[in-house]
Amino acid sequence: MSIFTIVHQETCIACGACGAAAPEVFDYDDEGISYVIIDDNKGTKCVPNQYVDDVLDAYEGCPTDSIKISKKTFDGNPLKYGE
């Protein structure tokens, strides 16, 4: 399964759930806000297959729905496919 992911940083509350679920994909900036490591939170690179299940776990566990996933690229816009 090929997916893309991005974090809507304006709604992220820095809870740490995504980094716990998928530390190879998500990291945090100086304020603790999450971002996607693999493409600097642009949503333009496919999540490596070995991390897809972890990203889906992070997506399902995000309390603010800040993690977005799609089968198409986000081109840097977390709201590209609606809320």
Side-chain angles (χ1 to χ4, degrees):
M1 170 190 232
S2 295
I3 63 167
F4 298 87
T5 189
I6 193 169
V7 176
H8 186 201
Q9 294 181 306
E10 292 178 20
T11 59
C12 177
I13 58 170
C15 72
C18 58
E24 298 84 6
V25 177
F26 299 101
D27 202 359
Y28 306 97
D29 66 15
D30 292 339
E31 286 82 40
I33 301 300
S34 179
Y35 69 94
V36 178
I37 300 167
I38 59 176
D39 61 8
D40 200 28
N41 207 53
K42 301 280 189 264
T44 55
K45 289 187 181 176
C46 235
V47 173
N49 286 336
Q50 68 263 37
Y51 304 130
V52 168
D53 287 341
D54 295 340
V55 168
L56 293 175
D57 287 344
Y59 169 76
E60 292 170 5
C62 182
T64 59
D65 296 325
S66 297
I67 297 171
K68 309 298 181 184
I69 60 172
S70 175
K71 292 183 180 180
K72 300 182 282 185
T73 66
F74 286 93
D75 300 319
N77 180 0
L79 303 179
K80 185 172 183 175
Y81 303 111
E83 268 298 281

